[in-house]
């Protein structure tokens, strides 16, 4: 699969960006890190809003920047969509007017009526088309801005913390639409956030940044579960698994989700058999046994191999396990790890006490 080379170096008085990445040409790549880590600066370099003295970026065979050849395509000539933290809509235009204005200003792309309707339906804004921005919620405004960006049929969609300005209720309002975009978009998306919840729900690829440098980069499951990164020790640490809805046990109000060669039982899911699902498993909801338990109320019991164990200074251990081809985190006490004599490469069983459906 072709990749998007992104190499940039620039320096300010108190900050330097130095990255060399091969980004995937499909799916959602999330740039994660604290404020000041360089996420937005990298995004702006890719967009051409920031001209790095040393830089290279290429997409679909077109070079947007190559500083060695003094080649630089300005932002307005790059076929990209950019969604900022704040929803920048013209207050005097209706939603339809804002969408049409964006298309008219674009010289790189064309839009047709079927593409227009598809995007309107995908983001659920048909009923908003005649409203002015002052009659929209924060989440509705961001959906309109995303629709405007997608109508340009961009080669790349850049999203800079699109939920940061929203309260928790509005975030929950727009997240299902972002998940739907994740499931339907065929163009690459680069998404900036410092929210672990957004990482878990949206990312296919995760880039972790700190002080202008990349400290980790890889697929979500492996990178999210790296025991040397802050994710794993966090109280809300979790693992994200991809699965397929395989069957229902309606008499028990349960659904079965296939995860490679294993099956998880979840509360009944209203979706067709074969639906792709993203499952979140919190480390606090995973326990470890040396043998397969027989007298337990927990339904999800799977064989696993311990890969790493890391103790902290609070009496807790973070354990990274391998379940078939999936990585899984567990938080247990150091006393439990000692009593069970847990160590790397030991074969064990995990009991998964709870799961969350992400979409």
């Amino acid at each position: 699969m072709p990749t998007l080379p992104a190499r940039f170096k620039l320096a300010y008085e108190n900050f330097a960006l130095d990255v060399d990445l091969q980004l995937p040409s499909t799916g959602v790549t999330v740039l994660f890190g604290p404020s000041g880590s360089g996420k937005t600066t990298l995004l702006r370099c890719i967009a051409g809003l920031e001209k790095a003295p040393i830089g290279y970026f290429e997409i679909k065979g077109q070079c947007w920047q190559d500083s060695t050849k003094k080649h630089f395509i300005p932002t307005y000539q790059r076929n990209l969509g950019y969604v900022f933290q704040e929803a920048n809509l013209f207050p005097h235009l209706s939603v339809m007017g804002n969408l049409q204005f964006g298309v008219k200003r674009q010289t790189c792309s064309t839009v047709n009526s079927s593409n227009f309707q598809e995007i309107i339906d995908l983001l659920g804004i048909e009923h908003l088309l005649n409203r002015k921005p002052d009659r929209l919620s924060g989440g509705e405004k961001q959906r309109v801005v995303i629709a405007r960006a997608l109508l340009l049929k961009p080669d790349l969609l850049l999203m800079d913390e699109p939920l940061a300005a929203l309260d928790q209720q509005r975030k929950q309002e727009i997240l299902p639409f972002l998940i739907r975009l994740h499931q339907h978009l065929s163009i690459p998306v680069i998404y900036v956030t410092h929210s672990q919840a957004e990482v878990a729900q949206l990312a296919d690829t995760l880039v972790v940044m700190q002080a202008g440098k990349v400290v980790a980069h890889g697929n979500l499951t492996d990178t999210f579960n790296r025991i040397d990164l802050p994710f794993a020790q966090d109280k809300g640490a979790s693992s994200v698994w991809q699965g397929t809805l395989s069957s229902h046990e309606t008499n028990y109000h349960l659904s079965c989700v296939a995860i490679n060669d294993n099956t998880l039982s979840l509360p009944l899911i209203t979706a067709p058999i074969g639906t792709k699902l993203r499952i979140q498993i919190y480390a606090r909801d995973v326990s470890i046994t040396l043998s397969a338990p027989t007298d337990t109320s927990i339904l999800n019991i799977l064989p696993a191999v311990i890969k790493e164990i890391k103790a902290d200074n609070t009496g807790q251990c973070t354990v990274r396990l391998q379940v078939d081809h999936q990585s899984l985190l567990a938080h247990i006490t150091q006393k439990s790890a000692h009593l069970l004599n847990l160590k790397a490469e030991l074969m064990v069983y995990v009991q998964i006490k709870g799961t969350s459906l992400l979409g």
Side-chain angles (χ1 to χ4, degrees):
M1 182 178 297
T3 58
L4 313 180
R7 300 190 294 272
F8 299 101
K9 288 186 180 181
L10 61 80
Y12 302 126
E13 184 177 348
N14 298 310
F15 172 80
L17 179 74
D18 186 353
V19 300
D20 186 349
L21 288 164
Q22 295 290 329
L23 300 173
S25 58
T26 60
V28 178
T29 296
V30 170
L31 306 181
F32 176 88
S35 297
S37 61
K39 307 182 301 294
T40 294
T41 302
L42 174 54
L43 208 68
R44 289 174 60 83
C45 286
I46 292 172
L49 296 171
E50 198 83 46
K51 188 175 181 180
I54 299 175
Y56 185 90
F57 187 81
E58 181 181 334
I59 181 170
K60 297 180 72 172
Q62 184 182 37
C63 181
W64 286 359
Q65 181 177 357
D66 185 348
S67 57
T68 64
K69 298 179 179 178
K70 297 183 179 179
H71 173 72
F72 182 84
I73 295 179
T75 302
Y76 73 92
Q77 292 180 347
R78 302 184 183 197
N79 190 25
L80 61 84
Y82 202 124
V83 178
F84 296 89
Q85 291 183 22
E86 298 291 340
N88 298 314
L89 297 172
F90 293 107
H92 64 287
L93 296 178
S94 66
V95 168
M96 176 65 86
N98 272 278
L99 297 177
Q100 291 174 335
F101 183 87
V103 172
K104 289 175 183 176
R105 295 282 293 179
Q106 177 59 266
T107 60
C108 296
S109 302
T110 58
V111 64
N112 56 47
S113 58
S114 61
N115 181 56
F116 183 91
Q117 192 59 49
E118 180 184 6
I119 291 169
I120 297 303
D121 293 342
L122 195 59
L123 286 156
I125 59 173
E126 177 87 47
H127 65 295
L128 305 176
L129 294 178
N130 294 322
R131 292 190 194 176
K132 295 284 182 64
D134 62 356
R135 294 180 53 218
L136 303 177
S137 70
E140 288 171 340
K141 289 178 182 176
Q142 282 298 64
R143 281 153 56 191
V144 173
V145 170
I146 294 168
R148 184 174 62 186
L150 291 176
L151 283 171
L152 307 178
K153 300 182 72 175
D155 292 329
L156 177 65
L157 180 62
L158 306 176
M159 306 183 80
D160 187 5
E161 299 198 63
L163 306 187
L166 304 180
D167 59 32
Q168 193 58 37
Q169 182 178 348
R170 299 310 175 204
K171 287 181 182 179
Q172 294 308 312
E173 170 191 315
I174 193 173
L175 265 170
F177 293 97
L178 292 180
I179 292 170
R180 190 184 302 177
L181 287 178
H182 170 269
Q183 294 168 340
H184 289 84
L185 282 181
S186 58
I187 63 171
V189 178
I190 303 178
Y191 186 104
V192 166
T193 186
H194 59 264
S195 164
Q196 291 193 34
E198 291 172 40
V199 171
Q201 290 178 293
L202 299 171
D204 296 306
T205 301
L206 179 59
V207 177
V208 183
M209 299 188 66
Q210 181 72 46
K213 297 183 181 295
V214 174
V215 296
H217 172 216
N219 68 68
L220 172 65
T221 301
D222 293 339
T223 310
F224 206 44
N225 288 353
R226 272 184 48 173
I227 212 164
D228 60 325
L229 295 177
F231 299 113
Q233 278 74 48
D234 189 87
K235 288 183 178 180
S238 64
S239 304
V240 178
W241 288 3
Q242 307 282 351
T244 304
L245 184 59
S246 57
S247 64
H248 298 294
E249 293 183 283
T250 52
N251 50 326
Y252 293 118
H253 296 277
L254 295 172
S255 294
C256 297
V257 178
I259 313 284
N260 294 321
D261 294 330
N262 293 304
T263 300
L264 291 179
S265 292
L266 275 70
L268 193 63
I269 300 167
T270 306
I273 301 300
T275 299
K276 301 295 182 182
L277 300 170
R278 182 175 286 216
I279 311 298
Q280 186 173 32
I281 303 168
Y282 286 97
R284 62 175 179 263
D285 290 333
V286 178
S287 63
I288 298 172
T289 66
L290 297 180
S291 57
T294 55
D295 301 318
T296 176
S297 63
I298 296 174
L299 294 175
N300 296 314
I301 303 169
L302 304 173
V305 178
I306 294 176
K307 305 308 291 184
E308 291 180 272
I309 303 175
K310 183 176 182 179
D312 63 18
N313 57 8
T314 68
Q316 177 181 274
C317 275
T318 300
V319 184
R320 184 174 68 85
L321 306 109
Q322 194 77 16
V323 181
D324 198 358
H325 299 294
Q326 301 282 344
S327 183
L328 179 68
L329 292 179
H331 282 174
I332 62 173
T333 64
Q334 291 180 24
K335 182 176 181 179
S336 295
H338 174 75
L339 292 175
L340 294 175
N341 193 26
L342 299 184
K343 56 188 176 183
E345 301 307 321
L346 181 67
M347 296 188 67
V348 295
Y349 288 85
V350 291
Q351 297 186 110
I352 300 173
K353 292 174 279 187
T355 60
S356 298
L357 187 65
L358 293 176

